Amino acid sequence: MCKVIAVANQKGGVGKTVTSVNLGIGLAREGKKVMIIDSDPQGSLTISLGCKEPDSLDYTLANALINIINDEPTDINKGLIHHVEGIDLMPGNIELSSLEITLTGVISRETILRQYVEKARNMYDYIILDCAPSLGMMTINALACADSVIIPCQAAYLPVKGLQQLIKTIGRVKRQLNPKLNIEGILITMVDNRTNYAKDISNQIYEVYSSSIKVFPIGIPLSVRAAEISATGNSIYVYDPKGKAAFAYKELIKEVMKNDEKSWSDSKAV
Ligand code: ADP
Ligand code: MG
Protein backbone atom coordinates (compact mmCIF):
# COMPACT_ATOMS: atom_id res chain seq x y z
CA MET A 1 0.00 0.00 0.00
CA CYS A 2 1.46 3.32 -1.05
CA LYS A 3 0.99 6.57 0.77
CA VAL A 4 1.33 9.90 -0.99
CA ILE A 5 2.32 12.79 1.25
CA ALA A 6 2.34 16.41 0.05
CA VAL A 7 4.62 18.80 1.91
CA ALA A 8 2.85 22.09 1.46
CA ASN A 9 2.70 25.67 2.65
CA GLN A 10 2.22 28.63 0.31
CA LYS A 11 4.80 30.54 2.32
CA GLY A 12 8.37 30.15 1.04
CA GLY A 13 11.32 29.43 3.28
CA VAL A 14 9.44 27.44 5.93
CA GLY A 15 11.35 24.17 5.45
CA LYS A 16 9.22 22.28 2.90
CA THR A 17 12.15 21.20 0.77
CA VAL A 18 14.45 20.27 3.64
CA THR A 19 11.55 18.32 5.16
CA SER A 20 10.77 16.52 1.88
CA VAL A 21 14.41 15.42 1.53
CA ASN A 22 14.81 14.21 5.10
CA LEU A 23 11.37 12.68 5.35
CA GLY A 24 11.85 10.77 2.09
CA ILE A 25 15.39 9.60 2.82
CA GLY A 26 14.49 8.84 6.45
CA LEU A 27 11.67 6.54 5.28
CA ALA A 28 14.06 4.86 2.82
CA ARG A 29 16.45 4.23 5.72
CA GLU A 30 13.57 2.36 7.39
CA GLY A 31 13.50 0.03 4.40
CA LYS A 32 10.66 1.72 2.52
CA LYS A 33 10.61 2.27 -1.23
CA VAL A 34 10.37 6.01 -1.69
CA MET A 35 9.93 8.42 -4.55
CA ILE A 36 10.29 12.16 -4.04
CA ILE A 37 8.72 14.46 -6.61
CA ASP A 38 9.86 18.04 -7.07
CA SER A 39 6.76 20.00 -8.07
CA ASP A 40 8.33 23.42 -7.51
CA PRO A 41 9.52 25.29 -10.66
CA GLN A 42 12.48 26.56 -8.62
CA GLY A 43 13.82 23.00 -8.53
CA SER A 44 15.26 23.46 -5.02
CA LEU A 45 14.62 19.84 -4.09
CA THR A 46 16.30 18.65 -7.28
CA ILE A 47 19.29 20.87 -6.46
CA SER A 48 19.34 19.72 -2.83
CA LEU A 49 19.60 16.13 -3.98
CA GLY A 50 22.73 16.90 -5.94
CA CYS A 51 21.49 17.89 -9.40
CA LYS A 52 22.98 21.36 -9.57
CA GLU A 53 21.36 22.50 -12.83
CA PRO A 54 17.80 21.26 -12.99
CA ASP A 55 17.00 23.57 -15.92
CA SER A 56 19.40 21.65 -18.15
CA LEU A 57 17.75 18.26 -17.54
CA ASP A 58 16.22 16.64 -20.63
CA TYR A 59 13.25 15.04 -18.94
CA THR A 60 11.55 16.23 -15.76
CA LEU A 61 8.13 16.22 -14.14
CA ALA A 62 6.98 18.87 -16.63
CA ASN A 63 7.67 16.50 -19.57
CA ALA A 64 5.88 13.62 -17.86
CA LEU A 65 2.84 15.83 -17.23
CA ILE A 66 2.84 17.17 -20.79
CA ASN A 67 2.70 13.56 -22.01
CA ILE A 68 -0.35 13.01 -19.86
CA ILE A 69 -2.02 16.21 -21.08
CA ASN A 70 -1.40 15.09 -24.68
CA ASP A 71 -2.76 11.65 -23.90
CA GLU A 72 0.53 10.03 -24.83
CA PRO A 73 1.91 6.93 -23.10
CA THR A 74 4.01 7.72 -20.01
CA ASP A 75 6.95 5.63 -18.87
CA ILE A 76 7.03 6.08 -15.11
CA ASN A 77 10.74 5.26 -14.93
CA LYS A 78 11.72 7.84 -17.50
CA GLY A 79 13.63 10.77 -16.02
CA LEU A 80 13.92 9.26 -12.54
CA ILE A 81 17.19 10.00 -10.79
CA HIS A 82 18.36 7.32 -8.34
CA HIS A 83 19.97 8.97 -5.33
CA VAL A 84 22.76 7.17 -3.45
CA GLU A 85 20.77 7.37 -0.23
CA GLY A 86 18.15 5.04 -1.66
CA ILE A 87 15.34 7.18 -3.03
CA ASP A 88 14.13 7.91 -6.54
CA LEU A 89 13.75 11.55 -7.50
CA MET A 90 11.45 12.85 -10.20
CA PRO A 91 13.13 16.19 -10.79
CA GLY A 92 11.37 19.48 -11.39
CA ASN A 93 12.54 22.68 -13.04
CA ILE A 94 11.48 26.02 -14.50
CA GLU A 95 9.40 24.29 -17.19
CA LEU A 96 6.81 23.66 -14.51
CA SER A 97 5.95 27.35 -14.48
CA SER A 98 4.97 27.42 -18.17
CA LEU A 99 3.18 24.13 -17.64
CA GLU A 100 1.18 25.77 -14.88
CA ILE A 101 -0.05 28.35 -17.39
CA THR A 102 -0.85 25.62 -19.95
CA LEU A 103 -2.84 23.76 -17.32
CA THR A 104 -5.45 26.50 -17.04
CA GLY A 105 -6.84 25.52 -20.44
CA VAL A 106 -6.65 21.77 -19.98
CA ILE A 107 -9.44 19.29 -19.25
CA SER A 108 -9.07 17.86 -15.71
CA ARG A 109 -6.42 20.45 -15.00
CA GLU A 110 -6.45 19.77 -11.26
CA THR A 111 -5.80 16.05 -11.63
CA ILE A 112 -2.99 15.77 -14.20
CA LEU A 113 -0.38 15.05 -11.51
CA ARG A 114 -2.74 12.49 -10.00
CA GLN A 115 -2.67 10.53 -13.26
CA TYR A 116 1.13 10.38 -13.06
CA VAL A 117 1.22 9.51 -9.36
CA GLU A 118 -1.43 6.81 -9.69
CA LYS A 119 0.82 4.99 -12.16
CA ALA A 120 3.74 5.15 -9.69
CA ARG A 121 1.78 3.99 -6.64
CA ASN A 122 2.35 0.29 -7.15
CA MET A 123 6.14 0.80 -7.28
CA TYR A 124 6.56 2.62 -3.96
CA ASP A 125 5.64 2.57 -0.28
CA TYR A 126 5.77 6.36 -0.05
CA ILE A 127 5.64 9.16 -2.59
CA ILE A 128 6.62 12.57 -1.21
CA LEU A 129 5.56 15.70 -3.10
CA ASP A 130 7.56 18.83 -2.41
CA CYS A 131 5.26 21.75 -3.25
CA ALA A 132 5.97 25.24 -4.56
CA PRO A 133 5.46 28.24 -2.27
CA SER A 134 2.07 29.11 -3.75
CA LEU A 135 -1.50 27.90 -3.87
CA GLY A 136 -1.30 27.72 -7.66
CA MET A 137 -2.31 24.94 -9.99
CA MET A 138 0.66 22.66 -9.21
CA THR A 139 -0.04 22.79 -5.48
CA ILE A 140 -3.73 22.09 -6.11
CA ASN A 141 -2.63 19.14 -8.28
CA ALA A 142 -0.41 17.89 -5.44
CA LEU A 143 -3.26 18.17 -2.91
CA ALA A 144 -5.62 16.50 -5.36
CA CYS A 145 -3.48 13.37 -5.51
CA ALA A 146 -2.13 13.15 -1.96
CA ASP A 147 -3.40 10.97 0.85
CA SER A 148 -2.14 13.44 3.40
CA VAL A 149 -0.42 16.78 3.84
CA ILE A 150 2.41 17.75 6.16
CA ILE A 151 2.44 21.48 6.79
CA PRO A 152 5.85 22.79 7.77
CA CYS A 153 5.41 26.02 9.63
CA GLN A 154 8.24 28.23 10.72
CA ALA A 155 8.12 29.26 14.35
CA ALA A 156 7.46 32.92 13.51
CA TYR A 157 4.42 35.18 13.52
CA LEU A 158 3.66 35.81 9.85
CA PRO A 159 3.95 32.20 8.59
CA VAL A 160 1.50 31.19 11.29
CA LYS A 161 -1.07 33.66 9.95
CA GLY A 162 -0.88 32.08 6.47
CA LEU A 163 -1.93 28.70 7.86
CA GLN A 164 -5.64 29.58 7.90
CA GLN A 165 -5.71 30.13 4.15
CA LEU A 166 -3.82 26.89 3.49
CA ILE A 167 -6.12 24.87 5.73
CA LYS A 168 -9.15 26.38 3.95
CA THR A 169 -7.68 25.39 0.56
CA ILE A 170 -6.97 21.86 1.80
CA GLY A 171 -10.60 21.65 2.94
CA ARG A 172 -11.87 22.78 -0.46
CA VAL A 173 -9.68 20.30 -2.31
CA LYS A 174 -10.88 17.56 0.03
CA ARG A 175 -14.54 18.36 -0.58
CA GLN A 176 -14.32 19.00 -4.31
CA LEU A 177 -11.51 16.82 -5.63
CA ASN A 178 -10.03 14.37 -3.16
CA PRO A 179 -12.26 13.14 -0.30
CA LYS A 180 -9.50 10.93 1.16
CA LEU A 181 -7.16 13.87 1.78
CA ASN A 182 -6.11 14.32 5.40
CA ILE A 183 -3.79 16.63 7.24
CA GLU A 184 -0.98 14.47 8.59
CA GLY A 185 0.11 17.28 10.85
CA ILE A 186 1.65 20.68 11.32
CA LEU A 187 5.40 20.48 11.68
CA ILE A 188 6.94 23.43 13.46
CA THR A 189 10.32 24.15 11.88
CA MET A 190 13.40 26.23 12.60
CA VAL A 191 12.59 26.32 16.29
CA ASP A 192 15.18 28.30 18.17
CA ASN A 193 14.82 26.74 21.58
CA ARG A 194 16.95 29.43 23.18
CA THR A 195 14.28 32.09 22.68
CA ASN A 196 10.99 32.55 24.49
CA TYR A 197 9.57 33.88 21.25
CA ALA A 198 9.88 30.48 19.54
CA LYS A 199 8.25 28.82 22.56
CA ASP A 200 5.39 31.37 22.48
CA ILE A 201 4.76 30.73 18.79
CA SER A 202 4.88 26.95 19.26
CA ASN A 203 2.45 27.20 22.18
CA GLN A 204 0.17 29.43 20.10
CA ILE A 205 0.08 26.86 17.28
CA TYR A 206 -0.76 24.09 19.75
CA GLU A 207 -3.52 26.20 21.33
CA VAL A 208 -5.16 27.24 18.09
CA TYR A 209 -4.86 24.03 16.08
CA SER A 210 -4.19 20.97 18.20
CA SER A 211 -7.88 20.33 18.92
CA SER A 212 -8.58 19.86 15.21
CA ILE A 213 -5.21 19.12 13.57
CA LYS A 214 -2.29 17.11 14.82
CA VAL A 215 0.73 19.22 15.68
CA PHE A 216 3.81 17.00 15.64
CA PRO A 217 5.10 16.85 19.21
CA ILE A 218 8.72 17.47 18.23
CA GLY A 219 9.49 20.48 16.04
CA ILE A 220 12.58 20.74 13.86
CA PRO A 221 15.18 22.84 15.62
CA LEU A 222 16.96 25.72 13.98
CA SER A 223 20.26 24.22 12.90
CA VAL A 224 23.09 25.60 10.84
CA ARG A 225 23.91 22.05 9.75
CA ALA A 226 20.35 21.60 8.45
CA ALA A 227 20.68 24.84 6.49
CA GLU A 228 23.89 23.57 4.92
CA ILE A 229 22.65 20.24 3.59
CA SER A 230 21.13 21.58 0.37
CA ALA A 231 24.64 22.45 -0.78
CA THR A 232 25.94 18.94 -0.04
CA GLY A 233 23.45 16.84 -2.02
CA ASN A 234 22.89 14.60 1.01
CA SER A 235 20.45 14.20 3.85
CA ILE A 236 20.93 15.31 7.42
CA TYR A 237 21.51 11.65 8.37
CA VAL A 238 24.75 11.64 6.40
CA TYR A 239 25.80 15.25 6.90
CA ASP A 240 25.13 15.59 10.63
CA PRO A 241 23.91 12.20 11.87
CA LYS A 242 24.26 12.97 15.56
CA GLY A 243 22.81 16.47 15.42
CA LYS A 244 19.50 17.66 16.83
CA ALA A 245 17.88 18.15 13.41
CA ALA A 246 18.59 14.51 12.45
CA PHE A 247 17.07 13.42 15.75
CA ALA A 248 13.95 15.56 15.17
CA TYR A 249 13.46 14.26 11.63
CA LYS A 250 13.73 10.68 12.91
CA GLU A 251 10.98 11.47 15.42
CA LEU A 252 8.82 12.84 12.58
CA ILE A 253 9.34 9.60 10.65
CA LYS A 254 8.32 7.52 13.67
CA GLU A 255 5.13 9.59 13.93
CA VAL A 256 4.33 9.22 10.23
CA MET A 257 4.93 5.47 10.28
CA LYS A 258 2.90 5.12 13.47
CA ASN A 259 -0.04 6.87 11.79
CA ASP A 260 0.25 4.54 8.82
CA GLU A 261 0.41 1.35 10.83
CA LYS A 262 -2.71 2.53 12.63
CA SER A 263 -4.63 3.47 9.49
CA TRP A 264 -3.59 0.25 7.74
CA SER A 265 -4.78 -1.87 10.64
CA ASP A 266 -7.99 0.20 10.80
CA SER A 267 -8.58 -0.38 7.10
CA LYS A 268 -8.03 -4.11 7.52
CA ALA A 269 -10.63 -4.12 10.26
CA VAL A 270 -13.31 -2.72 7.94
P1 ADP B 1 10.82 25.99 1.53
O1 ADP B 1 10.96 24.76 0.70
O2 ADP B 1 9.59 26.01 2.38
O3 ADP B 1 10.97 27.24 0.73
P2 ADP B 1 13.44 25.27 2.54
O4 ADP B 1 13.35 23.87 2.97
O5 ADP B 1 14.10 25.56 1.23
O6 ADP B 1 12.02 25.99 2.60
O7 ADP B 1 14.18 26.08 3.69
C1 ADP B 1 14.33 27.50 3.60
C2 ADP B 1 15.73 27.91 4.07
O8 ADP B 1 15.88 27.58 5.45
C3 ADP B 1 16.83 27.16 3.34
O9 ADP B 1 17.91 28.02 3.15
C4 ADP B 1 17.17 26.02 4.27
O10 ADP B 1 18.51 25.61 4.11
C5 ADP B 1 16.93 26.65 5.63
N1 ADP B 1 16.49 25.66 6.64
C6 ADP B 1 15.58 24.67 6.49
N2 ADP B 1 15.41 23.99 7.63
C7 ADP B 1 16.24 24.57 8.54
C8 ADP B 1 16.53 24.32 9.93
N3 ADP B 1 15.94 23.35 10.61
N4 ADP B 1 17.43 25.13 10.53
C9 ADP B 1 18.03 26.14 9.85
N5 ADP B 1 17.81 26.42 8.56
C10 ADP B 1 16.92 25.64 7.91
MG1 MG C 1 11.09 24.55 -1.36
Side-chain angles (χ1 to χ4, degrees), residues 20-42:
S20 301
V21 167
N22 293 296
L23 171 65
I25 292 180
L27 287 165
R29 290 167 68 93
E30 295 296 321
K32 306 294 178 188
K33 283 215 75 187
V34 180
M35 179 194 214
I36 312 185
I37 299 179
D38 189 353
S39 74
D40 181 354
Q42 292 175 57

Side-chain angles (χ1 to χ4, degrees), residues 112-163:
I112 299 297
L113 181 59
R114 184 194 288 174
Q115 294 180 54
Y116 175 79
V117 165
E118 286 307 312
K119 288 183 211 287
R121 269 186 190 264
N122 62 3
M123 291 161 54
Y124 295 97
D125 298 311
Y126 288 92
I127 299 177
I128 312 293
L129 291 160
D130 184 26
C131 294
S134 83
L135 290 174
M137 206 38 92
M138 277 310 296
T139 300
I140 301 296
N141 264 265
L143 296 175
C145 70
D147 299 305
S148 72
V149 196
I150 290 179
I151 307 174
C153 178
Q154 195 182 343
Y157 176 64
L158 281 171
V160 172
K161 276 197 91 178
L163 277 186

Side-chain angles (χ1 to χ4, degrees), residues 11-19 130 190 220-224 226-227 230:
K11 176 90 179 66
V14 297
K16 291 183 288 297
T17 300
V18 170
T19 297
D130 184 26
M190 300 184 221
I220 308 299
L222 187 74
S223 144
V224 176
S230 42

Side-chain angles (χ1 to χ4, degrees), residues 59 63-64 66-68 70-76 78 119:
Y59 193 93
N63 302 88
I66 287 166
N67 275 350
I68 290 172
N70 293 338
D71 235 350
E72 284 161 5
T74 332
D75 175 0
I76 281 297
K78 192 166 177 191
K119 288 183 211 287

